[in-house]
Amino acid sequence: MKIALGSDHLALAMKDELVRYVESLGHEVADCGCYNMEPVDYPDIAALVAGRIKNGEAERGILVCGTGIGMAMAANKIRGIRAAQCHDVYSAERAAKSNNAHIITLGARVVGVELAKCIVRAWLESCFSGGQSQKKIEKIMMLEQA
Ligand code: RB5
């Protein structure tokens, strides 16, 4: 798959590690920054990653900030995008199977890098189950009109 990754400066080290890890799993990675410790506002990076998915340049995205919260809030503001904060393997699996999330977000100050890799792998290896979940996804997307 084509995977877009991004982080703010607080999560740069984890993002760089995840770039290498996702590539090692055989995926094509678009590294959307940041690229150094210069402070950057997480919504700007979330917009880059979500934008790539929205315009078809990437199938999925991974966003990392201090907590994963701001990245999730920002990415979910992009119309059509579903982002899920995942700090455990089970949630990551469900984010794909039940929620068909385009993006997962992680907090570099919350989870260690080895757990982050397990979370990413579980999500990348899981696919949307469809069935009963489809109607609920459609209802989520309808809320964009609310
Ligand atoms: C720093 O801007 C910090 O707020 C950010 O990394 C993240 O934790 C936001 O949710």
Side-chain angles (χ1 to χ4, degrees):
M1 279 189 284
K2 287 187 181 175
I3 314 291
L5 273 99
S7 74
D8 68 4
H9 53 293
L10 294 180
L12 173 64
M14 179 176 280
K15 185 266 291 171
D16 285 347
E17 187 89 17
L18 291 176
V19 165
R20 289 189 287 272
Y21 180 64
V22 171
E23 282 174 344
S24 80
L25 295 177
H27 300 286
E28 190 181 322
V29 168
D31 184 347
C32 299
C34 63
Y35 306 110
N36 55 50
M37 288 302 287
E38 188 94 13
V40 62
D41 295 335
Y42 60 81
D44 296 335
I45 302 291
L48 287 177
V49 167
R52 278 192 180 247
I53 294 164
K54 194 167 175 173
N55 68 25
E57 288 175 297
E59 288 154 75
R60 293 194 190 187
I62 299 166
L63 286 164
V64 197
C65 62
T67 60
I69 296 171
M71 285 295 197
M73 287 181 165
N76 277 312
K77 292 291 181 191
I78 306 296
R79 199 170 284 274
I81 296 297
R82 291 180 299 279
Q85 184 202 35
C86 294
H87 284 151
D88 65 274
V89 167
Y90 178 73
S91 298
E93 197 181 308
R94 297 319 309 173
K97 291 184 176 175
S98 297
N99 310 110
N100 201 10
H102 303 97
I103 293 173
I104 57 167
T105 72
L106 292 152
R109 290 179 161 177
V110 182
V111 294
V113 72
E114 293 307 319
L115 176 55
K117 288 180 191 173
C118 293
I119 289 166
V120 163
R121 183 172 191 153
W123 180 59
L124 291 176
E125 288 180 350
S126 301
C127 297
F128 183 49
S129 308
Q132 290 298 308
S133 296
Q134 180 60 39
K135 183 181 71 176
K136 295 161 201 165
I137 298 294
E138 286 164 15
K139 286 192 173 187
I140 292 174
M141 303 328 286
M142 287 290 287
L143 292 174
E144 288 184 344
Q145 318 302 327

